[in-house]
């Protein structure tokens, strides 16, 4: 297991390095000269040159990269061009909001998706299966923004159950925080719940027809352990895979959801930064997102190891 | 009441069992009328070519066939108690405890996600109310019983770390864990080499001798039948066509099909591509499982067939005590006779 983790960590470092190079070059490949944007329309060539020197933009790219990475490693991402605040400070404010939204959405997705998938598989072809499958189709085809607007109209405008938008920090007012996050989490989680339900359902159908499930029945085990222990355990790999694959969609879904509900998270920060061409922020946001993506994928890989003894013992899937 | 009066029932009595499956191509009638009795402490062999319905007959007893597609009728009585109309909950108390089963598929019958120790302990905790630790140490003993070396280490391993033969023995350990009254073993020794095979058969014999466990042994291997079984039932195309004590059957087979199996004996053990040994020596094909005309199903392959064999179906008839065969023109002399 230690070797397995070590291997995955090594791979993660390499991916992160490549990712940072890509981000660095990508931002520089964007049209427009950041120094000119910073100096303003009317700036003299001397002023632009001074800024360029200030930001180190006159040095060779490898040197710039090394400096940027060196600072980033110490947590220094420079300052926002909008409000001159340290980017790192902005990140520490925005990141937890998005993480909370994503985690809540995941809980919603796993709770609804896996449960519905298991129920649908065990009652295949019956009423509960049709309901769950119908939910899956609807959940997949409805876009986040539409669901979000619908949710606001129903729960906030008509029923007055939940606030329509806004954000209060969890630490300040946990109740108020959850109250405001519930609808966004539901909106963001529904699509994933639908994907998870479909995948869980088909994985469970396969597990349930496996010989080892017949063995479990032959032992006289109650149906709840036949389904919930023997079949489900072998379907969890699928669940974890789906979660890993849906990560990108989760991030983009979070961006949209934060816009709709005016939640000051990472997504909103990114959109605002792109609109105002806030390069240091874009760079940092993308880098942190890549790092987060890698970290979650690492967790997914570790989960594989925990779930699948074959992976854990040999370090390779299907070995 | 009447059951009480008739008191002398066998441990297991199957009467008029018919099992069909609804498939896309239509109804597959796997078992077409099987009646058999299993006495306490008896080892009964169930023989016949591939597809004749041995496994389906066996799995009908603890009702382990897929409920959505299975159409079952007839009676299965365990110690006088009808199993076919028992609710699932009552049957769960019987499965693994009174009736346990070793499946034909050793490679896939264990759950890949759990250690073999967990999978053995599970059945002990379910039926014997053992604690986790007690069940664990009993699991080690059981692995030792079925001849797995270094059981204390093996108990912590996962199925993929074990060979097919070892997995098969783990399945046997699970099946014998709760000292069942009826043990159904479906080709339990096919994946094993000869010495280990002998050890496993010893485990069965010992179980029978110590606890009076009755065993249904499904096998293609007539050598194994001769070795351990007391009685044998030969099946053909979903029906029992001959039934006798093993000595009687080997000395005086009556049904041409049984005689054919016997004659095929020395070279019969053809190893298929899946590593299983099958009897394939009798020329011709088994009839398709969809139709069931009123005739002897064996007639296209039978060397003794005459006109009347297609007129109606022969019923099982007695040929001395405990010997029955379903044939209009049975062999009358010693094995291999005049066929
Ligand atoms: N679940 C099922 N659905 C449809 N048909 C089935 C099912 N199980 C078994 N059958 C069919 O029933 C027939 C009898 O099968 P069975 O497994 O009992 O044969 P067998 O005598 O055990 O053969 P083998 O020696 O190959 O194990 C076969 O034609 C088989 O294809
Ligand atoms: S009844 Fe006729 S066809 Fe059938 S086994 Fe006997 S002799 Fe052969
Ligand atoms: Mg079989």
């Amino acid at each position: 297991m230690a070797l397995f983790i070590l291997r995955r960590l090594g791979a993660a470092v390499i991916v992160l390095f490549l990712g940072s190079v890509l981000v660095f070059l990508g931002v520089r490949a964007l049209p427009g000269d950041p120094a000119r944007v910073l100096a303003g329309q009317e700036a003299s060539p001397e002023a632009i040159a001074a800024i360029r020197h200030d930001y180190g933009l006159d040095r060779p790219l490898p040197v710039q990269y090394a400096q940027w990475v060196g600072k980033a490693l110490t947590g220094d991402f420079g300052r926002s061009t909008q409000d001159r605040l340290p980017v790192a400070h902005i990140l520490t404010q925005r990141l937890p909001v998005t993480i909370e939204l994503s985690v809540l959405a995941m809980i919603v997705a796993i709770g609804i998706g896996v449960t519905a998938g298991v129920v649908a598989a065990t009652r295949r072809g019956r009423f509960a299966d049709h309901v769950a499958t119908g939910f899956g189709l609807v959940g997949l085809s409805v876009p986040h923004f539409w669901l979000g607007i619908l949710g606001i109209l129903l729960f906030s405008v008509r029923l007055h159950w939940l606030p329509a938008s806004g954000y209060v920090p969890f630490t300040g007012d946990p109740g108020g925080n959850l109250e405001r996050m519930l609808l966004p989490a539901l909106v963001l989680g529904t699509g994933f719940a639908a994907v998870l339900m479909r995948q869980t359902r088909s994985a469970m159908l396969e597990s349930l027809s496996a010989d080892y499930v017949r063995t479990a029945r032959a032992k006289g085990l109650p149906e709840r352990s036949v389904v919930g222990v023997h079949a489900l355990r072998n379907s969890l790999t699928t669940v974890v895979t789906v979660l890993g694959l849906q990560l990108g969609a989760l991030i983009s879904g979070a961006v949209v959801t934060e816009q709709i509900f005016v939640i000051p998270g990472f997504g909103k920060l990114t959109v605002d930064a792109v609109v105002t061409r806030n390069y240091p922020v874009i760079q940092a946001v993308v880098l942190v997102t890549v790092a987060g993506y890698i970290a979650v994928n690492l967790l997914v890989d570790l989960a594989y190891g925990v779930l699948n003894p074959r992976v854990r013992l040999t370090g390779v899937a299907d070995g | 009441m009447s059951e009480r009066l008739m008191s002398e029932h066998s441990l297991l009595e199957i009467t008029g069992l018919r099992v069909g499956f609804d498939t896309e191509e239509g109804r597959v009638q796997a078992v077409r009328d099987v009646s058999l009795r299993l006495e306490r402490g008896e080892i009964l062999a169930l023989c016949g070519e591939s597809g004749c319905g041995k496994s389906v007959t066996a799995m009908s007893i603890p009702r382990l066939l897929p409920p959505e597609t299975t159409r079952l009728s007839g009676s299965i009585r365990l110690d006088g108690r009808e199993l076919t109309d028992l609710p699932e909950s009552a049957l769960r108390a019987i499965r693994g405890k009174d009736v346990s089963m070793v499946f034909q598929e050793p490679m896939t019958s264990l759950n890949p996600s759990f250690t073999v120790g967990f999978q053995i302990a599970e059945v002990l905790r379910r039926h014997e109310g053992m604690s986790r630790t007690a069940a664990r140490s009993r699991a080690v003993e059981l692995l030792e019983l079925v001849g797995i070396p270094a059981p204390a280490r093996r108990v912590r391993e996962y199925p993929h770390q074990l060979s097919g033969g070892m997995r098969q023995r783990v399945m046997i350990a699970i099946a014998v864990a709760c000292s069942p009254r009826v043990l159904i073993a479906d080709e339990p020794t096919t994946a094993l080499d000869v010495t280990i095979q002998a050890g496993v058969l010893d485990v069965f014999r010992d179980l029978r001798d110590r606890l009076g466990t009755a065993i249904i042994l499904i096998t293609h291997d007539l050598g194994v039948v001769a070795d351990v079984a007391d009685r044998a039932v030969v099946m053909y195309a979903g029906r029992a066509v001959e039934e006798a004590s093993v000595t009687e059957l080997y000395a005086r087979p009556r049904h041409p099909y049984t005689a054919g199996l016997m004659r095929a004996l020395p070279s019969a053990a053809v190893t298929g591509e899946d590593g299983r040994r099958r009897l394939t020596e009798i020329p011709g094909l088994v009839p398709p499982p969809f139709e069931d005309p009123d005739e002897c199903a064996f007639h296209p392959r039978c060397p003794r067939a005459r006109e009347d064999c297609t007129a109606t179906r022969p019923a099982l008839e007695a040929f001395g005590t405990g010997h029955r065969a379903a044939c209009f023109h049975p062999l009358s002399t010693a094995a291999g006779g005049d066929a």
Side-chain angles (χ1 to χ4, degrees):
Chain A
M1 188 72 185
L3 184 74
F4 171 71
I5 295 175
L6 219 66
R7 266 196 231 175
R8 291 297 142 105
L9 273 178
V13 169
I14 294 170
V15 173
L16 195 57
F17 168 71
L18 292 177
S20 70
V21 171
L22 228 68
V23 171
F24 179 81
L25 293 178
V27 170
R28 267 146 196 79
L30 284 177
D33 179 350
R36 195 176 288 279
V37 175
L38 284 176
Q41 285 292 288
E42 306 301 315
S44 63
E46 291 77 30
I48 293 174
I51 290 176
R52 188 168 278 154
H53 183 74
D54 241 25
Y55 280 79
L57 295 173
D58 52 351
R59 313 224 186 133
L61 282 182
V63 177
Q64 288 187 39
Y65 173 79
Q67 278 183 331
W68 174 60
V69 168
K71 283 191 173 173
L73 282 177
T74 66
D76 179 2
F77 290 100
R79 284 172 181 274
S80 159
T81 55
Q82 279 310 107
D83 45 17
R84 314 299 300 165
L85 283 172
V87 174
H89 176 72
I90 302 176
L91 292 184
T92 54
Q93 282 189 321
R94 301 296 192 97
L95 198 52
V97 180
T98 299
I99 291 179
E100 185 194 349
L101 176 62
S102 306
V103 168
L104 288 177
M106 281 287 190
I107 293 174
V108 168
I110 294 172
I112 298 177
V114 173
T115 313
V118 170
V119 169
T122 51
R123 345 214 102 226
R124 177 184 201 172
R126 286 192 264 166
F127 182 67
D129 184 19
H130 295 311
V131 170
T133 312
F135 156 81
L137 274 178
V138 173
L140 273 186
S141 39
V142 172
H144 289 121
F145 74 87
W146 195 73
L147 202 63
I149 292 165
L150 211 68
I152 293 174
L153 283 178
L154 180 63
F155 293 107
S156 310
V157 179
R158 265 196 89 87
L159 299 170
H160 300 288
W161 285 357
L162 296 165
S165 65
Y167 175 79
V168 292
F170 186 79
T171 42
D173 174 10
N177 169 277
L178 287 180
E179 201 178 55
R180 284 170 174 76
M181 289 300 246
L182 182 63
L183 201 49
L186 276 173
V187 166
L188 182 55
T190 305
F192 300 108
V195 177
L196 268 183
M197 146 22 230
R198 288 167 66 104
Q199 299 294 333
T200 306
R201 178 178 179 274
S202 63
M204 280 298 285
L205 282 178
E206 201 187 316
S207 305
L208 283 170
S209 64
D211 286 344
Y212 57 77
V213 163
R214 187 180 58 189
T215 306
R217 293 218 168 91
K219 289 177 185 174
L221 298 178
E223 204 56 17
R224 101 186 95 80
S225 16
V226 173
V227 174
V229 177
H230 285 271
L232 185 58
R233 179 58 185 269
N234 286 283
S235 305
L236 283 184
T237 320
T238 309
V239 172
V240 168
T241 308
V242 173
L243 285 180
L245 288 175
Q246 290 295 314
L247 202 61
L250 182 73
I251 292 171
S252 62
V255 173
V256 175
T257 310
E258 286 176 7
Q259 287 303 112
I260 298 169
F261 291 92
V262 203
I263 296 169
F266 229 59
K268 202 162 174 322
L269 179 68
T270 314
V271 173
D272 293 347
V274 170
V275 169
T276 61
R277 302 185 162 202
N278 199 337
Y279 292 128
V281 171
I282 299 177
Q283 228 167 243
V285 160
V286 175
L287 190 66
V288 169
T289 307
V290 170
Y293 198 91
I294 292 172
V296 175
N297 268 311
L298 196 65
L299 286 180
V300 168
D301 279 345
L302 290 180
Y304 274 140
V306 171
L307 289 174
N308 187 344
R310 203 179 275 254
V311 173
R312 176 162 74 241
L313 295 166
T314 59
V316 270
D318 307 313
Chain B
M1 233 309 255
S2 58
E3 258 164 33
R4 227 16 94 71
L5 290 175
M6 280 165 37
S7 80
E8 267 324 299
H9 49 67
S10 308
L11 177 58
L12 185 74
E13 291 179 2
I14 298 178
T15 318
L17 181 69
R18 298 177 55 81
V19 187
F21 299 100
D22 287 333
T23 69
E24 268 150 36
E25 294 93 63
R27 171 76 60 91
V28 172
Q29 197 60 43
V31 176
R32 301 167 176 223
D33 182 11
V34 165
S35 299
L36 55 85
R37 304 158 81 86
L38 180 70
E39 307 298 334
R40 289 164 190 77
E42 182 182 40
I43 299 183
L44 174 71
L46 208 53
C47 325
E49 279 166 307
S50 191
C52 69
K54 305 181 296 291
S55 298
V56 171
T57 302
M59 282 190 279
S60 305
I61 299 166
R63 207 195 292 157
L64 287 170
L65 296 163
E68 312 82 42
T69 56
T70 306
R71 302 287 167 264
L72 185 148
S73 65
S75 155
I76 301 172
R77 282 167 182 269
L78 178 69
D79 225 352
R81 184 183 184 198
E82 181 60 51
L83 298 186
T84 50
D85 48 21
L86 272 191
E88 270 292 302
S89 55
L91 216 55
R92 274 198 287 271
I94 291 172
R95 292 185 191 134
K97 170 71 183 153
D98 295 309
V99 178
S100 68
M101 182 132 191
V102 177
F103 293 100
Q104 199 171 353
E105 299 81 10
M107 299 309 281
T108 49
S109 288
L110 289 169
N111 193 322
S113 294
F114 299 98
T115 62
V116 302
F118 174 88
Q119 297 185 59
I120 300 172
E122 210 176 21
V123 71
L124 292 164
R125 279 161 47 209
R126 162 74 176 93
H127 293 294
E128 310 287 324
M130 281 192 189
S131 71
R132 212 169 270 265
T133 41
R136 260 317 158 97
S137 50
R138 179 75 186 126
V140 177
E141 290 169 20
L142 285 163
L143 284 184
E144 183 149 34
L145 179 76
V146 294
I148 289 190
R153 177 167 60 85
R154 290 294 182 187
V155 82
R156 278 179 275 116
E157 293 192 340
Y158 289 88
H160 77 267
Q161 294 169 283
L162 273 54
S163 69
M166 275 205 251
R167 291 187 215 184
Q168 184 71 301
R169 278 176 285 162
V170 172
M171 285 301 297
I172 293 168
I174 292 173
V176 304
C178 300
S179 314
R181 292 202 284 166
V182 177
L183 171 68
I184 304 162
D186 197 346
E187 309 269 358
T189 56
T190 8
L192 309 177
D193 68 51
V194 181
T195 40
I196 295 167
Q197 178 174 321
V200 163
L201 294 178
D202 279 341
V203 171
F204 288 167
R205 251 190 234 107
D206 179 63
L207 208 63
R208 186 266 301 270
D209 294 345
R210 267 188 314 116
L211 304 164
T213 303
I215 299 171
I216 296 180
L217 185 67
I218 299 174
T219 179
H220 282 105
D221 191 334
L222 292 181
V224 169
V225 175
D227 189 11
V228 288
D230 304 309
R231 216 152 47 85
V233 170
V234 178
M235 285 181 70
Y236 187 79
R239 288 195 166 82
V241 294
E242 184 155 18
E243 173 191 344
S245 74
V246 167
T247 39
E248 167 76 8
L249 195 71
Y250 278 66
R252 280 175 290 279
R254 296 294 188 169
H255 199 282
Y257 176 63
T258 314
L261 287 182
M262 303 276 184
R263 207 172 15 250
L265 183 57
S267 55
V270 178
T271 306
E273 52 195 281
D274 57 355
R276 277 170 32 194
R277 299 197 294 167
R278 322 178 160 280
L279 293 163
T280 51
E281 292 304 297
I282 305 169
L285 285 175
V286 187
F290 298 103
E291 45 212 75
D292 190 17
D294 188 16
E295 59 186 20
C296 175
F298 189 53
H299 82 85
R301 303 167 69 188
C302 182
R304 299 172 69 85
R306 287 188 232 158
E307 257 138 65
D308 57 341
C309 298
T310 52
T312 180
R313 187 166 32 239
L316 279 171
E317 270 174 58
F319 291 84
T321 32
H323 191 165
R324 298 194 301 161
C327 175
F328 292 130
H329 312 290
L331 289 87
S332 49
T333 51
D338 51 352

